[in-house]
Structures are given as C-alpha cells and as structure tokens.
C-alpha cells in the first residue's frame, strides 16, 4: 500500500522520478504523486469554488487531468506551479460551464473538523476556513482574481491572460475584492455566513 | 487579521479544504489512477469466457438501446426495457430506481469539445514529448466499444469503483462517441447506488443530460437525478423533479413510484 505522504511535505522537485514513471504508466508512482498533490489541489479548489461539497469532486477531476497530461510537463518550472495552473484552469472552466448551464451547485459548508491527536498542525486551519467562507461571499470574478494573484502568485498580466480580461479589469477586481474581504474579516463581522 | 496576511501562497497544509480522513484520501487517489490508467485486469488479454460474456453483454445492450430509443421516440405506454444482462438486481434505499442500461446509442449527435486542460507556459503544444511516453500513455486508449465491454465486465464482477472509473475514462477519452453518453449514465448510477456518492452522480447525470437532452436514456437520467437529489436531502429539487418527471413521462413504469413518493413528501414536513 502506498504510504500517505506527510502533510508538511517539501516541494516536489521538478526532476522527481515519480513524474516520469507516472507518465509512463507506473501505477505506484502515479498513486504516490496523486496522494502528495491531493491536499494542495483540494485547497486550491476550495479557494476557487464556493462551499465544500464540490471540492473533492472537482479536485479529483483536476488530478485526472494532471495525471493524463504529465507528459506535457517539460520540467522548466516548478512542478507544483504547473499543477496549480492545470487545476485552476479546470476549476474555473468547470464553474463557468456549470453557471452557463444553470446547474445549481450545492452549497454545503462542512464543519471544521480535524482529528483529535492528529499529527498535523491545525495552526492555520481555522483561519483558512474563515477566509474561504469570506471568499464565498465575494462575486466569483473578484474571488478568482484574488486567488490567482495572491494565492497562486500570478502577476496581473498573467491573471488577465488566464481569465481573458483587460489588465485594468483585473486590477479593479483585485481592489474591490480586497475591500470586501477586509470588511468581511473585520472584527465583529459575522464571518461564517456568506 | 488582515486579508493580505491570510491570502498566502497555496500549499498542502490543512485548510481551507475541509479535513479529509486518510482512508478517503487513499480512495480518491485510487480512483484517479483507475480513471487514468484503468483497471489492471481489463488490460490483460480477455479470456474466452470474458469474450463470450462481453458478446452477450454487447448484444443485450444493443437490443436494450434500440428498445429505449423506440420508447423514448414514441413516449408510448410500452414498459421500460429490462436492464442489460450486465445489470445486477440489487437496489438500495433511495436509489431503488432503475439501473441504466449501457447501450451503444443510435443517432450520434455532435457534442461540445472538452475544455482545454492546461496550455500553460510549461505545456508543450503537442502531446507526447517522446515516443516512449506517447506509447505508455496511450496504452489504455483504444476502441470505446471494447472499453465499454471491459467496464461492463467489471460491473458484472461487482467491482463498482473500478467499473465507474472505467466508464468515466470512456467519456474522457472519447467524449464524442456514442459509448461516452451511455458510459456517463452508467458511471452515475454506480456512484449513486453503490459508491455512496450522489453528488458525483448528480454531476454526471447533468453532464449526460447536457450532452443529449433528448437522448435515449433521458428518462433514466432524470429518474437517477431525482434519486440522487433524494439522497442528498434536497427535498425541493426532488419534489420538482418528480413533478416534471410525471409530466414528461405520464406512462412511465415509475409513475406509481413517483406518485407515491410525492404523496409521502406531502404528508411529511
């Protein structure tokens, strides 16, 4: 059985042998890589998508895409950054598609549970959960701009290219999104309700 | 706390995604690998028994598909077809609905192309950087009909997770094929009825309905959607779905079941 990677893992080196092996169809390497990426991918999806209920579903589809397209990773940049781009692109496209179809996404906010005695540090967990709920209250365009820019570290130009809007629009969304987020996270505000 | 201090670079530590038990994480990883690389046994050379079973499944499913198509076209009082031979008869609780058949569907329609996945700066414009990688990644991608037979075989063996992954691979690898539509519906049914994942079932049913709003399995898709909504506790969606279903299929075999359920819902808050 593939051991569960430690949650505080080091970044995956761009020449990690699992990448080539997984691309070549090695199941063990593929599973190990997926398990390593899973927490990060789930986090990114949760930053981008409202509520908890679709997180795992979208994350799983995103990981399928990552695994299928591994051979397209050329190793010229950080592997995780490449994965982030794949995941963000798939997530945004999917949310857009479902909105255009009028699909009603369920908005299920799971309780903030972590296992008692877990080796994982929950130091930032609750703060991040609060942040995600605050993001849930933002218009989707502002949310995506904030996440791509601040969480994924993309430049304004890159964000503009990614979501196909002018740079000025991205700056505007970032400014408005930050204002709303600040209001939402201000002491005394009800942060739990979107 | 300020938004800047919280909006930190992405990492794999806890949050903001909800905590996931380790066994569920392993299951998810297994499913991803299955969907990309397939089930190991399916790739092996099929035995004579497997080939015979596949032939029976295929013929049965074909007959069922045409029957469903005729049923749909006429919207007549003809009883819905029996499940394909690959189907089992187990039913569970709220999902005690029909098991979708897995027919090759007649009258293929154009479908939207899948979304572009990842042309990032890191991405090469052409798939398959090297011949060896190309060969390895194409190892499981063949004829969708053969893949459908393989998935059906897994289902007859009650290997639900592997079967669902195999069905999903068909819709992923051959999104425009006739088999992809049937495979989507079959995967949705497995997620709903055997894998305890109505949310995913709902999504796949939605995808199938979007691909072929008037497809030969639309009745099954709508019925499955209602069941999934019920599992999720979405009473309003379930109620609306039942009403719409009765209006669309007044002669359906599920009519009595749908009416009964509506009555139950009316009597319970």
């Amino acid at each position: 059985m593939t051991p569960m990677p430690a949650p505080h893992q080091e970044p995956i080196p761009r020449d990690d042998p699992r990448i080539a092996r997984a691309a070549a169809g090695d199941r063990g390497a593929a599973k190990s890589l997926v398990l390593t990426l899973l927490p990060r991918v789930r986090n990114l999806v949760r930053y981008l998508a409202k509520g908890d209920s679709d997180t795992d579903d979208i994350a799983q589809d995103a990981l399928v895409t990552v695994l299928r397209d591994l051979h397209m990773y050329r190793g010229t940049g950080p592997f995780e950054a490449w994965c982030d781009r794949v995941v963000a692109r798939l997530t945004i496209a999917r949310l857009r598609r479902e909105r255009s179809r009028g699909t009603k996404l369920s908005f299920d906010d799971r309780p903030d549970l972590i296992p008692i005695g877990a080796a994982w540090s929950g130091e930032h967990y609750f703060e991040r959960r609060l942040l995600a709920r605050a993001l849930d209250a933002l218009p989707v365009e502002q949310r995506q701009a904030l996440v791509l820019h601040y969480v994924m570290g993309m430049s304004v130009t890159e964000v503009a290219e990614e979501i196909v809007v002018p740079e000025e629009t991205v700056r505007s969304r970032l400014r408005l999104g930050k204002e709303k987020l600040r209001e939402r996270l201000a002491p005394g505000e009800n942060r739990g309700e979107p | 706390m300020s938004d800047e201090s919280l909006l930190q670079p992405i990492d794999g530590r806890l949050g903001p995604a909800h905590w996931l038990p380790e066994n569920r994480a392993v299951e998810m990883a297994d499913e991803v690998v299955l969907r990309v690389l397939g089930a190991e046994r399916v790739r092996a050379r099929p035995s004579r028994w497997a080939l015979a079973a596949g032939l029976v499944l295929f013929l049965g499913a074909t007959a069922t598909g045409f029957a469903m198509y005729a049923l749909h076209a006429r919207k007549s009082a003809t009883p819905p077809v029996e499940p394909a031979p690959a189907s089992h008869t187990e039913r569970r609780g709220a999902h005690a609905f029909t098991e979708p058949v897995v027919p090759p569907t007649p009258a293929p329609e154009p479908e939207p192309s899948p979304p572009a996945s990842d042309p990032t700066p890191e991405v090469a414009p052409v798939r398959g950087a090297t011949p060896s990688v190309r060969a390895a990644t194409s190892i499981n991608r063949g004829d969708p009909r053969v893949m459908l037979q393989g998935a059906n075989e897994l289902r007859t063996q009650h290997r639900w997770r592997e079967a669902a992954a195999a069905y999903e691979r068909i819709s992923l690898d051959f999104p425009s094929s006739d088999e992809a539509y049937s495979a989507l519906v079959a995967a949705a049914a497995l997620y709903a009825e055997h894998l305890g994942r109505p949310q995913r079932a709902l999504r796949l049913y939605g995808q199938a309905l979007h691909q072929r709003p008037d497809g030969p399995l639309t009745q099954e898709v709508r019925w499955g959607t209602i069941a999934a909504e019920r599992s999720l506790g979405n009473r309003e969606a379930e109620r609306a779905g039942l009403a719409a279903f009765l209006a669309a299929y007044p002669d359906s075999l599920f009519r009595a079941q749908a009416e009964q359920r509506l009555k139950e819902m009316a009597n319970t808050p």
Side-chain angles (χ1 to χ4, degrees):
Chain A
M1 181 179 164
T2 308
M4 186 82 177
H8 290 289
Q9 67 227 346
E10 294 297 314
I12 300 172
R14 63 187 70 180
D15 58 351
D16 188 317
R18 289 177 301 173
I19 298 171
R21 282 167 48 204
D26 182 322
R27 309 176 77 84
K31 183 174 176 180
S32 172
L33 203 56
V34 168
L35 276 171
T36 305
L37 288 169
L38 184 62
R40 182 184 181 98
V41 170
R42 291 178 73 248
N43 282 345
L44 182 52
V45 171
R46 181 60 183 91
Y47 272 127
L48 285 165
K50 187 174 180 177
D52 291 322
S53 56
D54 291 306
T55 300
D56 290 342
D57 212 23
I58 298 175
Q60 206 169 23
D61 286 348
L63 283 164
V64 166
T65 305
V66 166
L67 204 53
R68 282 166 60 96
D69 292 347
L70 268 184
H71 58 279
M72 297 165 83
Y73 173 63
R74 291 188 302 215
T76 53
F79 177 66
E80 280 146 322
W82 176 80
C83 291
D84 291 344
R85 294 280 185 108
V86 175
V87 172
R89 185 159 298 178
L90 181 134
T91 306
I92 290 170
R94 179 145 154 184
L95 295 173
R96 188 179 294 141
R97 201 165 54 240
E98 290 184 348
R99 267 198 304 166
S100 72
R101 274 187 212 165
T103 309
K104 189 186 160 208
L105 291 173
S106 57
F107 178 59
D108 174 19
D109 197 10
R110 307 265 168 91
D112 294 341
L113 295 175
I114 53 173
I116 296 171
W120 296 3
S121 163
E123 189 184 349
H124 301 292
Y125 178 62
F126 298 105
E127 286 183 2
R128 289 177 175 199
R129 295 285 290 165
L130 281 176
L131 178 67
R133 290 189 180 115
L135 285 168
D136 287 344
L138 263 54
V140 66
E141 294 81 9
Q142 291 172 17
R143 175 186 198 140
Q144 287 173 0
L146 285 174
V147 173
L148 294 181
H149 184 60
Y150 289 107
V151 177
M152 288 178 60
M154 293 168 70
S155 68
V156 169
T157 306
E158 288 173 323
V159 175
E161 285 170 4
E162 187 67 37
I163 55 182
V164 200
V165 294
E167 288 184 26
E168 201 42 55
T169 305
V170 174
R171 288 196 188 91
S172 167
R173 288 177 183 176
L174 287 173
R175 181 173 48 78
L176 292 171
K178 275 173 67 177
E179 280 172 15
K180 285 185 186 162
L181 203 59
R182 197 173 286 125
E183 285 169 18
R184 202 75 203 166
L185 294 171
E189 285 296 312
N190 183 359
R191 297 159 170 183
E193 298 297 321
Chain B
M1 92 188 126
S2 69
D3 52 314
E4 287 85 354
S5 70
L6 275 176
L7 278 169
Q8 290 169 352
I10 187 76
D11 59 35
R13 292 188 299 175
L14 273 180
H18 58 279
W19 173 71
L20 190 71
E22 186 173 327
N23 61 340
R24 180 67 195 122
V26 172
E27 274 179 17
M28 281 181 72
D30 282 337
E31 286 169 15
V32 169
V33 174
L34 276 172
R35 283 169 62 185
V36 178
L37 299 176
E40 281 176 294
R41 272 191 58 188
V42 176
R43 284 156 51 188
R45 188 179 170 197
S47 67
R48 273 182 299 174
W49 284 109
L51 285 172
L55 184 64
V56 170
L57 285 173
F58 180 73
L59 292 174
T62 304
T64 307
F66 281 109
M68 283 302 299
Y69 184 75
L71 172 78
H72 172 76
R74 286 186 277 116
K75 286 191 178 176
S76 68
T78 311
V81 293
E82 288 295 317
S87 304
H88 60 93
T89 53
E90 278 185 43
R91 293 292 186 267
R92 285 185 187 178
H95 299 299
F97 299 129
T98 182
E99 172 137 357
V101 293
V102 189
T105 53
E109 299 161 20
E111 294 176 32
S113 56
S117 56
D118 60 339
T120 65
E122 276 290 300
V123 171
V126 181
R127 283 182 170 225
T130 65
S132 61
V133 169
R134 256 202 312 273
T137 50
S138 64
I139 193 167
N140 292 307
R141 292 170 194 168
D143 184 337
R145 282 190 301 177
V146 175
M147 290 171 73
L148 191 60
Q149 288 170 31
N152 286 343
E153 191 185 331
L154 288 168
R155 190 167 69 167
T156 58
Q157 295 167 11
H158 293 200
R159 293 163 67 179
W160 311 126
R161 211 145 53 93
E162 291 164 85
Y167 285 129
E168 283 210 74
R169 283 187 66 227
I170 299 168
S171 69
L172 213 59
D173 288 353
F174 301 96
S176 303
S177 69
D178 293 343
E179 288 79 7
Y181 169 73
S182 307
L184 263 182
V185 180
L190 289 180
Y191 281 119
E193 297 183 18
H194 297 289
L195 297 169
R197 294 179 58 190
Q199 189 74 40
R200 178 136 197 98
L202 205 54
R203 186 180 303 284
L204 296 182
Y205 280 134
Q207 213 175 316
L209 203 57
H210 177 74
Q211 278 186 10
R212 301 197 180 183
D214 298 313
L217 296 175
T218 298
Q219 188 177 163
E220 274 65 27
V221 169
R222 292 178 71 171
W223 192 243
T225 301
I226 294 166
E229 296 283 17
R230 181 178 181 179
S231 293
L232 290 165
N234 299 334
R235 284 175 66 87
E236 272 319 303
E238 185 193 355
R239 193 194 314 273
L242 285 166
F245 185 88
L246 284 171
Y249 307 104
D251 301 318
S252 169
L253 269 194
F254 306 125
R255 179 182 180 151
Q257 215 175 327
E259 287 174 339
Q260 175 65 26
R261 176 63 186 152
L262 275 175
K263 272 186 202 163
E264 283 171 18
M265 294 179 79
N267 294 332
T268 52

